[in-house]
Amino acid sequence: MTGDPIRRPLDAVWYCVGESRQLRPGQLVSVTLGEEAIVVGREETGALFALRDRCPHRGMALSAGRLVEGNLVCPFHGWQFRPDGQCAAIPALARRDDADFTTVRLPRFAIEEVSGLVWVAAGPGPQGAPPIPAVDFSYCGMLVEILEVEASFDLVALSFVDPAHVAYVHDSWWWRPSKTLKEKVKQFAPSPFGFTMTSHTAKTASVVYRLLGAVPEVEIEFRLPGVRLERITAGKKRIANYTFATPRGPGRTALINAMYWNVPALNLLKPVARPLMRQFLGQDRDVLQIAQKGLDRKPAMVLMGESDVQSQWYFSLKREFLRAREAGGAFINPLAPRELRWRS
């Protein structure tokens, strides 16, 4: 049983906010990250920037504006801001007006582009935060799906480390038909900001795995703040199936799945794979939204048995990260290697 669960997502860490290809030069996108409304834009040079999506003049959403000669122009009164947040011009000022617009500056947020995805860190700078996940092989195909879930960040993140739900929520012909529950034994080791289910052979390969032409080796890593990295290897064939949780506001969380592969033939399956990925994520979304309603009435969780140990680890990691940050020290993983058994 766990008490005192930490309810707020971590700040000053990296969160995925979308695909790189959706941000063309000169384009602006509105992003909600926790309590922050952020405008993300791409300059003509290709560089990205992220600023608070609120003009300090009258509160207008700057994401409704446009980029003109490199400056972000507010659509209400034309105030202009450079990509670094510095106010560059206020057209309505008279020549004799002694107001100094250079004292006006928008808060700026750290932003990075990695493996075809855009990442933003709200709050103070992300020094000492878990690194942004990167694909460690040359991929020839990529598929991304994003769903919004009306559930807390913690509840969504816990679904990444909840093996017992798979047989009941994801029982699809194309994934892993579950006739009877079987006991599974997995080895876990601590990793820098989480833990890893060490590489193992997939005993009952799903249709997805069989497309590789061999029973693959699978390694699954979980890291803070809410990142699940599944790495699948069959000889020289590689698939990376990455899943992320991103806080979108009170009671709303983005569930993001990004899949990469280095097998050219798999590109032909993208029209079929996308609806299947959407169906898979939708199964999680639907059950999480129903569960959230129960937690809204009574927020306590009862975590029991080895199938829930990973969920307990999640809260332990989160508390230790917050403790280390408050103390100004380095994060030290409190976990130890362990074997876990559960039926699924």
Side-chain angles (χ1 to χ4, degrees):
M1 179 176 179
T2 180
D4 185 35
I6 303 170
R7 298 182 181 279
R8 292 175 60 85
L10 297 174
D11 62 4
V13 294
W14 294 104
Y15 290 106
C16 180
V17 297
E19 289 187 77
S20 297
R21 66 182 183 87
Q22 294 179 340
L23 269 171
R24 297 181 298 275
Q27 187 176 2
L28 302 172
V29 173
S30 176
V31 171
T32 301
L33 189 56
E35 297 179 353
E36 286 284 0
I38 299 172
V39 54
V40 174
R42 188 184 296 278
E43 302 177 60
E44 293 297 333
T45 61
L48 294 177
F49 64 88
L51 303 170
R52 178 166 290 164
D53 193 12
R54 179 184 180 278
C55 182
H57 182 213
R58 302 286 175 90
M60 184 66 188
L62 293 169
S63 56
R66 56 197 176 101
L67 285 173
V68 178
E69 296 181 350
N71 288 338
L72 175 55
V73 180
C74 176
F76 201 173
H77 297 90
W79 285 33
Q80 298 182 24
F81 298 90
R82 296 201 298 260
D84 64 359
Q86 175 66 55
C87 184
I90 299 178
L93 290 181
R95 291 185 178 180
R96 65 178 185 179
D97 202 323
D98 61 359
D100 183 7
F101 61 79
T102 62
T103 62
V104 180
R105 177 178 288 273
L106 293 171
R108 188 181 184 185
F109 302 98
I111 185 167
E112 293 288 346
E113 201 168 7
V114 177
S115 299
L117 300 174
V118 178
W119 296 77
V120 173
Q127 293 82 6
I132 297 173
V135 179
D136 61 357
F137 60 89
S138 179
Y139 56 90
C140 65
M142 175 184 181
L143 185 61
V144 179
E145 190 66 31
I146 302 175
L147 295 184
E148 188 163 294
V149 185
E150 293 182 4
S152 70
F153 180 87
D154 277 345
L155 188 59
V156 175
L158 286 175
S159 71
F160 301 167
V161 293
D162 177 19
H165 86 282
V166 175
Y168 298 94
V169 177
H170 299 303
D171 190 3
S172 303
W173 67 267
W174 55 272
W175 175 244
R176 190 179 300 160
S178 54
K179 302 303 180 184
T180 58
L181 297 180
K182 298 180 181 179
E183 184 165 297
K184 297 182 178 180
V185 182
K186 303 296 182 184
Q187 302 293 331
F188 289 84
S191 46
F193 288 91
F195 51 90
T196 299
M197 181 192 298
T198 53
S199 183
H200 62 281
T201 301
K203 300 291 185 183
T204 55
S206 68
V207 173
V208 176
Y209 290 168
R210 288 199 295 270
L211 289 174
L212 293 176
V215 178
E217 292 290 316
V218 180
E219 179 186 82
I220 299 176
E221 177 191 353
F222 176 85
R223 71 173 69 155
L224 293 175
V227 171
R228 181 185 185 273
L229 308 174
E230 182 176 7
R231 306 178 181 98
I232 304 165
T233 304
K236 294 182 179 181
K237 298 176 181 178
R238 302 284 302 276
I239 292 179
N241 187 38
Y242 290 178
T243 313
F244 317 113
T246 296
R248 285 278 179 85
R252 292 185 298 115
T253 304
L255 177 58
I256 303 169
N257 194 199
M259 184 175 288
Y260 308 82
W261 55 86
N262 69 350
V263 186
L266 294 183
N267 290 326
L268 300 175
L269 299 178
K270 286 181 72 172
V272 176
R274 184 174 295 279
L276 295 181
M277 180 185 286
R278 189 177 298 120
Q279 178 190 2
F280 189 90
L281 296 180
Q283 291 168 340
D284 276 320
R285 176 197 58 202
D286 294 346
V287 75
L288 289 169
Q289 291 183 161
I290 296 171
Q292 184 62 56
K293 293 178 181 178
L295 290 175
D296 288 342
R297 292 190 291 270
K298 188 175 182 180
M301 295 183 190
V302 177
L303 302 180
M304 186 175 297
E306 294 192 24
S307 64
D308 279 338
V309 167
Q310 295 177 67
S311 297
Q312 295 170 336
W313 285 347
Y314 166 74
F315 288 118
S316 295
L317 290 164
K318 197 172 179 183
R319 290 192 181 95
E320 177 59 25
F321 185 85
L322 289 171
R323 187 206 63 75
R325 176 162 284 177
E326 184 177 352
F331 171 81
I332 299 177
N333 195 322
L335 307 182
R338 183 171 174 183
E339 177 185 275
L340 295 179
R341 296 170 180 260
W342 63 82
R343 298 177 69 203
S344 65

